[in-house]
Amino acid sequence: MPSKFQVTQRPHGAACILAIEGFLDAHTAPEFEKAIEQAVQAGNVRLVVDCARLTYISSAGLGVFMSFLEDVRERGGDLKVAALDANVYQVFEVLGFPALLDIEPTVEDAVTRFEGA
Amino acid sequence: MPSKFQVTQRPHGAACILAIEGFLDAHTAPEFEKAIEQAVQAGNVRLVVDCARLTYISSAGLGVFMSFLEDVRERGGDLKVAALDANVYQVFEVLGFPALLDIEPTVEDAVTRFEGA
Amino acid sequence: MASFEKTFTLHVPSSTENLAMIRDFVSSIGARAGLDDAQVLRLALAVDEACANVIEHAYGSEQFHEVTIHGELDNDELSFVIVDTGRHFDPAHLQSESVEELVKQRKSGGLGLRLIRTIMDDVQYRIIPGEKNELRMTKKLHKD
Amino acid sequence: MASFEKTFTLHVPSSTENLAMIRDFVSSIGARAGLDDAQVLRLALAVDEACANVIEHAYGSEQFHEVTIHGELDNDELSFVIVDTGRHFDPAHLQSESVEELVKQRKSGGLGLRLIRTIMDDVQYRIIPGEKNELRMTKKLHKD
Ligand SMILES: Nc1ncnc2c1ncn2[C@@H]1O[C@H](COP(=O)(O)OP(=O)(O)O)[C@@H](O)[C@H]1O
Ligand SMILES: Nc1ncnc2c1ncn2[C@@H]1O[C@H](COP(=O)(O)OP(=O)(O)O)[C@@H](O)[C@H]1O
């Protein structure tokens, strides 16, 4: 079966949470891209991507994070990543993402960072 | 990876319970066969196969049930099957097994049948 | 929409160790065909039985041969073709003893082809002498 | 024990829909090689990246071509060979911009080969002109 992937959006304090679930690969990345695009177009620039239920990510998924980072920052926001499991974190790490974007242990932590800003 | 399968034996009242777990196919059937053989050789002829955690069975697995049925019955015992999930039950059913051997909803029910005997 | 066929092929060594992999392969294609979980499981069972037969009977349990499974999916049906280069057999000359008979004889086999025929809508066996044997089994989709 | 090679092959249509199936195939072989879950996941990732590249770049996202994945397992190493009949490329002439650069340029790609090279012990690309292109990647087993 094709990769299973789902993205759901919810507001949380000052931030917009995008919870992603399942497998984020070259097949499902366009769906994630569209969800971020819509959120940004609706004026949300404080984005937290909740990865608690993300089981897999490939470079196509990481590419989505990369391509929106400057955009939201230029608009005074940020894109933070929360609740990565160990295997998924490793993929971010190997490519040097921890130096590029804010990776927080929980969604709560990521939202607090926005509120402190 | 090869099929995962496990069999564990425990006594329960008048019966010997063989709990099987995972995938019972042509690769794992020999392991199940050996376990029944050992139980019978140790004098257990009132056998209940607990299938609560059995996720898959192919004809090689059903063959193990077939080949021991007469043996344990001749020795005054029986081989009963308990706690089949719907998909596994269907395989038993399609081949006419419900007419051949005692299929009980729970291990408890199967043991009670032995005690009533 | 025009009927567009998708073809998938898996080659594995002739060992029962690989049956799990074969079932995963079949299940993926079955899910792609839109079958539900119970149907997918039956499909995987039919192909498992066919491949177990090839491993045991066509190749006499020698593990260094190759089993090939083709999956062909179009709008109307899903077919699997199991190819071996081992010994062939004549399905027409198989005795079909009742399960009661098999139990009396303490048999541990003789159920595989029965399961395949029950699950699939069409089953064909073809011998291409000196080359290969093929068991083709087809499941119709969107049945009324 | 003599080194005995086991070979597995999967052919699928060139659609990203099939990446999940490809990862399952690789994961089965990785588990067979005795790798742990985290290692199996990285192996599946490396092959996913290579196949996604073939689908996107070699075949320009046309879905009617074929992607072939060979898995070769022996006592010492596990190799995967990804074969395509599409456009080839020259890995030596790729710019390797830093991830910082890619972010500045709002790029959404450019990380795949980097991941493959990080995960695997050896990566070779071979063009057989007019015939096929092969990316071979090898993971040593039992590393000290
Ligand atoms: N692929 C095959 N190659 C050779 N012989 C086969 C093959 N499939 C089935 N047979 C023959 O048909 C018989 C019945 O097969 P089957 O119904 O699957 O039961 P089982 O394999 O348990 O004996 C086998 O015992 C074997 O003699
Ligand atoms: N199999 C392939 N066939 C053709 N070109 C390829 C192939 N793999 C990679 N490339 C080229 O190399 C570049 C870098 O690939 P990669 O690091 O995987 O990043 P991405 O695929 O995200 O661009 C690609 O953009 C493409 O131009």
Side-chain angles (χ1 to χ4, degrees):
Chain A
M1 52 224 91
S3 301
K4 283 178 180 147
F5 177 74
Q6 213 181 309
V7 48
T8 45
Q9 187 182 325
R10 65 177 192 270
H12 185 306
C16 168
I17 317 290
L18 290 162
I20 59 180
E21 189 175 331
F23 296 77
L24 183 52
D25 64 4
H27 190 60
T28 58
E31 190 178 336
F32 180 42
E33 194 176 358
K34 209 172 62 189
I36 298 200
E37 207 165 84
Q38 284 174 351
V40 173
Q41 269 167 11
N44 299 294
V45 291
R46 297 178 156 201
L47 301 175
V48 176
V49 182
D50 176 359
C51 299
R53 304 184 67 182
L54 183 68
T55 27
Y56 178 81
I57 193 165
S58 74
S59 75
L62 291 170
V64 180
F65 289 92
M66 267 195 334
S67 64
F68 280 99
L69 208 48
E70 288 291 296
D71 252 24
V72 292
R73 284 179 181 167
E74 271 178 7
R75 297 173 186 221
D78 197 13
L79 193 163
K80 299 183 194 293
V81 179
L84 292 173
D85 96 2
N87 284 321
V88 175
Y89 179 78
Q90 224 206 7
V91 183
F92 277 83
E93 205 195 6
V94 127
L95 292 170
F97 275 73
L100 291 177
L101 49 68
D102 194 3
I103 300 180
E104 295 290 332
T106 69
V107 170
E108 222 38 70
D109 290 318
V111 172
T112 307
R113 289 289 224 116
F114 274 126
E115 285 164 351
Chain B
M1 51 225 93
S3 301
K4 283 179 181 146
F5 177 74
Q6 213 180 309
V7 48
T8 45
Q9 188 183 325
R10 64 174 195 272
H12 184 306
C16 169
I17 317 290
L18 290 163
I20 60 179
E21 191 174 330
F23 295 77
L24 183 52
D25 65 3
H27 190 62
T28 58
E31 191 178 336
F32 180 40
E33 194 177 358
K34 210 171 62 190
I36 299 200
E37 208 165 85
Q38 284 173 352
V40 173
Q41 269 168 13
N44 299 295
V45 291
R46 296 178 155 200
L47 301 176
V48 176
V49 182
D50 176 0
C51 299
R53 303 184 68 182
L54 183 69
T55 27
Y56 178 82
I57 193 164
S58 74
S59 75
L62 291 170
V64 180
F65 289 93
M66 266 194 338
S67 64
F68 281 99
L69 208 50
E70 288 291 295
D71 253 24
V72 293
R73 284 179 180 167
E74 271 177 6
R75 298 175 185 218
D78 197 13
L79 193 163
K80 298 182 194 295
V81 179
L84 293 174
D85 95 3
N87 284 322
V88 174
Y89 180 78
Q90 225 205 6
V91 184
F92 277 83
E93 204 194 8
V94 127
L95 293 169
F97 275 74
L100 292 176
L101 48 68
D102 194 4
I103 300 179
E104 296 289 334
T106 70
V107 170
E108 222 39 71
D109 291 318
V111 172
T112 307
R113 290 287 224 117
F114 273 126
E115 283 163 354
Chain C
M1 194 173 93
S3 178
F4 176 61
E5 192 178 271
K6 291 186 184 133
T7 317
F8 302 83
T9 305
L10 179 69
H11 304 275
V12 297
S14 54
S15 159
T16 54
E17 274 190 292
N18 296 323
L19 290 172
M21 202 165 162
I22 291 168
R23 292 193 301 266
D24 288 346
F25 172 77
V26 173
S27 298
S28 293
I29 301 171
R32 184 72 60 81
L35 300 177
D36 67 30
D37 287 356
Q39 290 171 317
V40 163
L41 197 140
R42 282 197 293 279
L43 201 65
L45 175 58
V47 177
D48 171 324
E49 295 292 344
C51 293
N53 277 347
V54 163
I55 293 167
E56 187 184 351
H57 305 302
Y59 291 133
S61 299
E62 292 172 346
Q63 305 197 359
F64 49 85
H65 301 283
E66 190 175 76
V67 183
T68 297
I69 304 102
H70 294 292
E72 299 169 6
L73 171 62
D74 69 23
N75 288 342
D76 302 318
E77 52 184 41
L78 174 54
S79 296
F80 286 94
V81 184
I82 318 302
V83 184
D84 72 78
T85 55
R87 284 187 288 284
H88 58 255
F89 74 115
D90 183 354
H93 283 109
L94 291 179
Q95 303 172 315
S96 69
E97 292 155 298
S98 70
V99 186
E100 284 80 358
E101 268 308 312
L102 294 171
V103 167
K104 279 218 191 78
Q105 296 165 33
R106 292 158 165 77
K107 287 269 176 69
S108 65
L111 303 171
L113 282 168
R114 224 169 289 199
L115 265 178
I116 295 171
R117 292 207 182 98
T118 310
I119 294 167
M120 305 302 281
D121 295 310
D122 186 58
V123 181
Q124 305 281 346
Y125 184 69
R126 192 159 75 116
I127 303 166
I128 303 172
E131 195 186 328
K132 61 180 176 179
N133 313 305
E134 287 187 355
L135 189 75
R136 169 180 288 268
M137 36 197 178
T138 301
K139 185 86 198 156
K140 301 246 171 285
L141 304 172
H142 325 293
K143 274 212 291 199
D144 310 319
Chain D
M1 195 174 95
S3 178
F4 176 63
E5 192 178 272
K6 291 185 183 130
T7 317
F8 302 83
T9 305
L10 179 69
H11 304 276
V12 297
S14 54
S15 159
T16 54
E17 273 191 293
N18 297 322
L19 290 172
M21 201 164 163
I22 291 168
R23 292 193 301 266
D24 288 347
F25 172 77
V26 173
S27 299
S28 293
I29 301 171
R32 184 73 59 80
L35 301 178
D36 67 30
D37 287 356
Q39 290 171 317
V40 163
L41 198 141
R42 280 197 294 277
L43 200 66
L45 175 58
V47 177
D48 171 324
E49 295 292 344
C51 293
N53 277 347
V54 164
I55 293 167
E56 187 184 350
H57 305 302
Y59 291 133
S61 300
E62 292 173 345
Q63 305 198 358
F64 50 84
H65 301 281
E66 191 176 73
V67 184
T68 298
I69 304 101
H70 294 291
E72 300 169 5
L73 171 61
D74 69 22
N75 288 343
D76 303 317
E77 52 184 43
L78 173 54
S79 295
F80 286 94
V81 185
I82 318 303
V83 185
D84 73 79
T85 55
R87 283 187 289 283
H88 58 254
F89 74 116
D90 182 354
H93 282 109
L94 292 179
Q95 304 173 312
S96 68
E97 292 153 298
S98 69
V99 186
E100 284 80 358
E101 267 309 311
L102 295 171
V103 167
K104 279 218 191 79
Q105 296 164 31
R106 292 157 164 77
K107 286 270 175 70
S108 65
L111 303 171
L113 282 168
R114 226 169 287 199
L115 265 178
I116 295 172
R117 291 206 181 98
T118 311
I119 294 167
M120 305 303 282
D121 295 309
D122 187 59
V123 181
Q124 304 282 345
Y125 183 70
R126 193 160 75 115
I127 302 164
I128 304 172
E131 194 186 329
K132 61 181 175 177
N133 313 305
E134 288 187 354
L135 189 75
R136 167 179 290 268
M137 36 198 178
T138 302
K139 185 88 197 154
K140 301 244 171 286
L141 305 171
H142 325 292
K143 274 213 292 198
D144 310 319

